[in-house]
Amino acid sequence: MAQQMSSLTPGGSGAPVVLPPDPSPFAQFVRSQSFAGLLLFLAAALAFVLANSPLSGAYEALRHLHLGVTLGGRGLDLSLEHWVNDGLMAVFFLLVGLEIKRELLIGELANPRRAALAVAGALGGMAVPALLYAALNGSGPGLHGWGIPMATDIAFSLGILALLGSRVPVGLKVFLTALAIVDDLGAVIVIALFYTSELNFTAMLGAALTWGALLLLGRRGVRRLGVYAALGVVLWLFVLGSGLHATIAGVLLALAVPLRRAAPLAVSLSGAAVPDADNERLGIHLQRAEAALERAQSPLHRLEHALHPYVTYAILPLFAFMNAGVAVGGATLGTVTLGVVAGLVLGKPLGVLGGAWLAVRAGLAALPEGVNWSLLAGAGMLAGIGFTVSLFVANLAFTDATLLTEAKLGVLIGTLCSAALGVAWLLLRTRRAP
């Protein structure tokens, strides 16, 4: 097809239009969810190997290397690990917030019946793992980690699902995406309500005023992303000093970025709009079309598209590298580890299936086209891939090094088991599919 297209001439002129070649299979793979999941896995594996090798001292020194920033006589001095967890992860949660807002307004979650299925599955997939974890940890010191097995990692779970290709119906991929987005919203609420330190009300007031200014700009339809970025940094500094976790600033900023387009898209590349021209003139028209497409996009879409590659290929792998380095020498599989593994491997599929079944039974939702309960069970298993957000909550839940190691070990074991079980189950259930 590309060869046929490359021989076309604009308006019947003799000059051929040279179109770019189709991307190579490797280039397509690099841009896919599968590559994003693989990159995340490789970063985590590298951290784990380093933490359990003779280079463990150098790895720990890197994580705790302090970097300071001074502005106007005041500054921040944080370790590299904290810059990633408190700073770069705020950008990750900004992207999560943009995805949540888009899905609620114009995406899958805007359809009541589709939203009901995803919301019910996500609620069940958060409640059952938390209850299983709490049952195994009783009233001991590990109870505070009940939020760890509630999360689903979007990049990792969708990357694993993408490996199955066309064997899996599109409806199942859409359901898992919507489920993971609702799950992230639940994780944000849990972090804000249950994993905060003592509150500084002066800083909270500053954050509230800054957020109010951002909301006003969004209501007025301000489209310059630089304005939102500048005020977003101010908001992050206030939230960082308020006692709320700094990543909440990312979600608050996302809610302020407008989704409305500036003007309808009106571009024509046929008839009188594009006269007979050579390649140079055609290039000018294509540039104009590209500029028109850019103007037609909402600030939310532009920001989401701009952030996605940086979050996927830089921030999440960096986070995995900084947090997945668990030294297993002398580590024990305590109740915290068992609780996290049970929550992710057993609680997630049971909760997702149970919540979805109740929603369908009540007439609030219906299964997507081509999806049956067996396939939904496979999606529930893949939802047990907690990884990024689970490790993030573990850092917030425990200051005790032993409990934190147990929790991270549980996240790694639970994630690997959920991925393996989910892939095996879906391969088994789809092996006769055409």
Side-chain angles (χ1 to χ4, degrees):
M1 182 66 179
Q3 292 177 348
Q4 294 174 350
M5 291 290 289
S6 64
S7 64
L8 295 178
T9 59
S13 66
V17 178
V18 180
L19 297 178
D22 292 335
S24 67
F26 177 75
Q28 293 177 14
F29 173 67
V30 166
R31 297 172 189 170
S32 69
Q33 288 283 0
S34 302
F35 181 74
L38 176 62
L39 190 61
L40 203 58
F41 173 78
L42 290 176
L46 177 60
F48 187 82
V49 169
L50 288 175
N52 293 277
S53 74
L55 295 174
S56 60
Y59 172 72
E60 288 299 320
L62 177 64
R63 290 177 62 225
H64 295 100
L65 176 67
H66 273 249
L67 298 174
V69 175
T70 303
L71 183 63
R74 304 185 66 178
L76 287 174
D77 186 19
L78 303 175
S79 68
L80 192 57
E81 180 186 11
H82 281 122
W83 276 116
V84 172
N85 292 354
D86 293 352
L88 293 182
M89 286 300 285
V91 181
F92 164 73
F93 277 99
L94 168 59
L95 181 61
V96 167
L98 294 172
E99 291 176 341
I100 290 171
K101 182 174 181 177
R102 173 174 50 78
E103 289 296 320
L104 286 172
L105 294 180
I106 61 172
E108 289 298 316
L109 299 180
N111 182 307
R113 288 178 68 81
R114 291 178 184 173
L117 187 69
V119 170
L123 290 177
M126 289 186 286
V128 175
L131 291 173
L132 267 178
Y133 179 94
L136 288 171
N137 282 273
S139 57
L143 181 61
H144 195 50
W146 57 269
I148 298 172
M150 295 174 65
T152 296
D153 189 296
I154 293 182
F156 218 151
S157 58
L158 292 181
I160 295 295
L161 189 61
L163 292 174
L164 299 174
S166 59
R167 296 172 65 104
V168 177
V170 174
L172 191 69
K173 299 176 183 178
V174 172
F175 169 75
L176 185 58
T177 302
L179 174 80
I181 289 173
V182 177
D183 200 289
D184 279 343
L185 177 59
V188 170
I189 294 173
V190 167
I191 290 169
L193 295 180
F194 301 102
Y195 292 103
T196 60
S197 56
E198 294 183 5
L199 298 178
N200 181 328
F201 290 100
T202 302
M204 286 188 69
L205 177 61
L209 292 175
T210 307
W211 189 41
L214 283 163
L215 290 173
L216 181 60
L217 291 174
R219 293 282 294 178
R220 292 290 184 88
V222 174
R223 296 174 55 81
R224 293 180 65 87
L225 294 180
V227 175
Y228 294 99
L231 285 177
V233 173
V234 176
L235 178 64
W236 178 79
L237 289 171
F238 276 126
V239 175
L240 180 65
S242 70
L244 294 170
H245 198 272
T247 52
I248 301 299
V251 180
L252 295 178
L253 175 58
L255 297 178
V257 179
L259 185 58
R260 296 191 304 274
R261 295 189 305 181
L265 179 62
V267 179
S268 175
L269 292 178
S270 61
V274 182
D276 289 347
D278 56 15
N279 283 348
E280 183 177 353
R281 288 186 178 181
L282 181 60
I284 293 173
H285 283 289
L286 291 175
Q287 288 176 355
R288 290 174 179 171
E290 185 178 0
L293 286 169
E294 177 72 15
R295 289 194 301 271
Q297 282 189 321
S298 71
L300 187 146
H301 282 97
R302 286 191 288 127
L303 184 56
E304 186 178 352
H305 293 161
L307 289 178
H308 195 273
Y310 295 102
V311 170
T312 302
Y313 303 122
I315 292 176
L316 289 182
L318 266 175
F319 174 83
F321 180 75
M322 288 292 166
N323 292 274
V326 181
V328 296
T332 58
L333 298 180
T335 54
V336 170
T337 303
L338 296 178
V340 173
V341 173
L344 292 175
V345 178
L346 297 177
K348 271 292 183 181
L350 290 175
V352 169
L353 267 180
W357 183 84
L358 288 175
V360 172
R361 184 77 174 175
L364 300 175
L367 292 181
E369 184 178 355
V371 176
N372 54 34
W373 289 108
S374 179
L375 293 179
L376 207 69
M381 295 175 191
L382 292 181
I385 301 175
F387 201 67
T388 303
V389 182
S390 291
L391 288 175
F392 187 79
V393 175
N395 284 317
L396 300 179
F398 298 122
T399 55
D400 183 284
T402 301
L403 294 177
L404 181 58
T405 298
E406 286 188 23
K408 288 185 174 183
L409 201 56
V411 172
L412 297 179
I413 295 172
T415 292
L416 290 174
C417 289
S418 296
L421 289 172
V423 169
W425 178 268
L426 289 174
L427 282 174
L428 181 65
R429 306 310 298 175
T430 60
R431 63 186 179 187
R432 293 189 178 92

